[in-house]
Amino acid sequence: MNALAPSGRSLAPFEARLSGVHDVERKSAAGDLARTGLPGPRVEAWHYTNLRALSGHVFAESDVLFDEKEARAVLASVIPEGSIFEKLPRLVLVNGRIAPGLSSSTASLPEGVSWSSFASAPDFGTQTSPQRDPLVALNTALASDGMQLSVATGVKAGQVLLVSLALSSSGVVSFHPRHNVALAPEASLTLIEISAGNDGQELYFHNPVLTCSLAEGAHLEHVKLQQEAGNAIHLATVYADIAGHATYESFTLTLGSALARHEVHASLAGAHAAVHVNGAQLLGNTQVGDITSVITHSAPDCISRQTVRNVLTDRSRAVFQGKVLVERVAQKTDGYQMNQALLLSPTAEIDAKPELEIYADDVRCSHGATVGALDEEQLFYLRSRGIAGAQARQMLVEAFLIEATDLVRDEVARTLLDGALADALLNRITAEERGS
């Protein structure tokens, strides 16, 4: 068992995790974290998302062994047996480690697509910044496994599933998977990422880092469904480097965990590149959901788009931080951001901070934010036709959020999100009816 103190000032031994040159990277990252600790509210990027939930706990590495029956039950809750998703190639991690018995064989992958475990061929890459990002530093110091996937030139890889499951374990645990995806020129892939856990277990902390490298003309659609256990902490970081004429499209749907943050750093490094960083959050109780992005335009004639929708009930809180940085060389930039929120409770809160930093003089950039409640006239119309109040609210909320999921181009991935969203709304209606 390897323990870590969330302050970063007392990391347990990690030298045995991997050998060779990577020890230098791990020790350097641990040193960075020891100097800074985890970010507090005085750090601008974390002003609205407080990590005090991590304080007071010493997180341990999860046990290697797990109950396979329990794992299959949790897996079936997100990938129903007999569904189209069950037929897709999948790599499954349980408590941060690849589970071969739950994953597809390499024979199921299309020709030109390969994957391996991070533990067997570790590669930290050069995209991340442990010295600037304490959570990436923590991941670099403690990563024990993850997925490394590559797609060869011109290959249309279709859909691949990356599933992370959190299962019951003794004590408070954490896991820090490291994933790398590389697309060669003109390659394409839809990566469907699912994070799930079983409710009732003790607090756990999931801190994944994903790096994406897109060569000239490549296309990656990254769709993420986050439905961790209700008391989980999920803090994810994504780095995407996008070459000329390449496109990175991402969408994250946040439904679970007590505290969640999805942070994307996208760099448009070649002319005519594009990035879309979209998402939706459905939050209740005291959940906190944070979608943060930093999009850097480093080349001319590039496009960035970001649309995020939030639905908040009870005392939940959503955070949207979107920064677009346009460097001097990035003429003809086209950037757009929009954050919209439905507040269904007087105690719910949305904190929005769109930001533009522009050094080029021939650009078209805009951002906006809207906050409101459900339309009373629409509710009255539905109620007047015999629809119960809770169901009428569900219909309007679902319509609001489905406009966001419609941005997902891959039909299979969109079906997964819409199904998870419908289930979450139905569960919410059931709870309302029980409380009434």
Side-chain angles (χ1 to χ4, degrees):
M1 300 282 282
N2 290 311
L4 66 96
S7 67
R9 294 180 171 81
S10 179
L11 288 171
F14 55 84
E15 290 85 350
R17 294 289 189 92
L18 293 176
S19 59
V21 67
H22 300 290
D23 279 347
V24 176
E25 294 171 278
R26 290 180 182 275
K27 290 177 181 178
S28 175
D32 293 332
L33 186 59
R35 282 188 295 274
T36 65
L38 292 182
R42 292 185 179 181
V43 177
E44 180 63 25
W46 291 87
H47 180 71
Y48 298 108
T49 301
N50 198 311
L51 297 183
R52 61 177 175 269
L54 290 173
S55 64
H57 298 288
V58 176
F59 287 82
E61 180 187 9
S62 60
D63 297 324
V64 175
L65 299 177
F66 60 89
D67 185 332
E68 187 163 328
K69 182 178 180 181
E70 180 186 9
R72 291 191 179 278
V74 177
L75 184 62
S77 70
V78 292
I79 305 177
E81 295 183 6
S83 69
I84 186 174
F85 315 111
E86 193 180 32
K87 300 174 184 177
L88 300 178
R90 69 174 183 244
L91 193 68
V92 180
L93 285 79
V94 176
N95 293 352
R97 290 186 178 80
I98 291 177
L102 302 177
S103 303
S104 303
S105 67
T106 54
S108 68
L109 295 172
E111 185 176 353
V113 181
S114 61
W115 63 31
S116 61
S117 70
F118 176 84
S120 65
D123 181 8
F124 288 106
T126 59
Q127 293 172 266
T128 60
S129 302
Q131 69 278 11
R132 294 202 313 265
D133 191 334
L135 289 169
V136 173
L138 182 60
N139 178 282
T140 302
L142 297 179
S144 58
D145 210 350
M147 176 190 72
Q148 300 198 119
L149 183 148
S150 62
V151 183
T153 301
V155 171
K156 310 303 180 187
Q159 302 95 357
V160 170
L161 282 171
L162 172 61
V163 184
S164 295
L165 304 179
L167 301 184
S168 299
S169 182
S170 56
V172 180
V173 299
S174 69
F175 31 96
H176 311 264
R178 189 66 164 244
H179 309 300
N180 302 310
V181 175
L183 272 61
E186 304 299 331
S188 66
L189 169 72
T190 298
L191 177 65
I192 304 174
E193 181 184 357
I194 304 173
S195 296
N198 56 347
D199 284 314
Q201 68 185 88
E202 292 194 56
L203 170 69
Y204 66 88
F205 172 30
H206 187 190
N207 177 39
V209 171
L210 167 65
T211 64
C212 307
S213 178
L214 281 66
E216 188 83 13
H219 183 275
L220 173 62
E221 186 163 14
H222 175 208
V223 179
K224 175 181 174 181
L225 170 60
Q226 190 275 100
Q227 48 184 14
E228 303 269 19
N231 59 348
I233 299 171
H234 180 99
L235 306 175
T237 310
V238 178
Y239 285 82
D241 284 352
I242 306 136
H245 296 276
T247 302
Y248 172 69
E249 297 186 74
S250 77
F251 190 97
T252 181
L253 175 61
T254 299
L255 299 176
S257 76
L259 170 63
R261 178 173 168 121
H262 182 78
E263 181 172 336
V264 178
H265 297 261
S267 176
L268 295 155
H272 301 284
V275 61
H276 300 171
V277 183
N278 302 316
Q281 302 189 105
L282 176 62
L283 307 175
N285 298 319
T286 58
Q287 283 181 283
V288 176
D290 180 336
I291 294 179
T292 291
S293 65
V294 179
I295 300 173
T296 302
H297 287 256
S298 301
D301 295 292
C302 292
I303 296 173
S304 64
R305 295 283 184 271
Q306 185 164 26
T307 299
V308 175
R309 291 196 169 193
N310 310 274
V311 175
L312 311 173
T313 64
D314 306 317
R315 291 186 292 126
S316 61
R317 188 161 59 86
V319 178
F320 168 78
Q321 299 182 109
K323 179 177 180 179
V324 175
L325 170 61
V326 182
E327 296 181 351
R328 190 175 301 277
V329 70
Q331 304 295 337
K332 305 292 185 182
T333 285
D334 184 355
Y336 171 80
Q337 289 181 323
M338 174 56 73
N339 176 65
Q340 297 171 298
L342 277 180
L343 301 186
L344 305 185
S345 163
T347 54
E349 179 181 331
I350 174 73
D351 297 298
K353 191 183 77 171
E355 184 179 357
L356 300 174
E357 187 173 339
I358 301 172
Y359 297 97
D361 54 14
D362 186 6
V363 302
R364 182 174 63 183
C365 293
S366 63
H367 59 67
T370 64
V371 180
L374 289 177
D375 189 314
E376 292 296 332
E377 289 188 7
Q378 292 177 344
L379 278 173
F380 177 78
Y381 176 84
L382 294 174
R383 294 293 302 276
S384 67
R385 277 147 182 79
I387 300 174
Q391 187 178 359
R393 288 192 295 274
Q394 180 211 14
M395 292 172 65
L396 294 178
V397 167
E398 189 169 11
F400 176 78
L401 291 174
I402 281 182
E403 284 190 25
T405 60
D406 280 346
L407 296 171
V408 176
R409 299 193 188 192
D410 187 273
E411 186 176 349
V412 173
R414 189 170 63 251
T415 298
L416 176 71
L417 296 184
D418 288 346
L421 187 57
D423 289 344
L425 288 169
L426 182 60
N427 291 337
R428 196 173 298 275
I429 283 182
T430 302
E432 284 186 24
E433 290 175 343
R434 286 175 179 170
S436 61

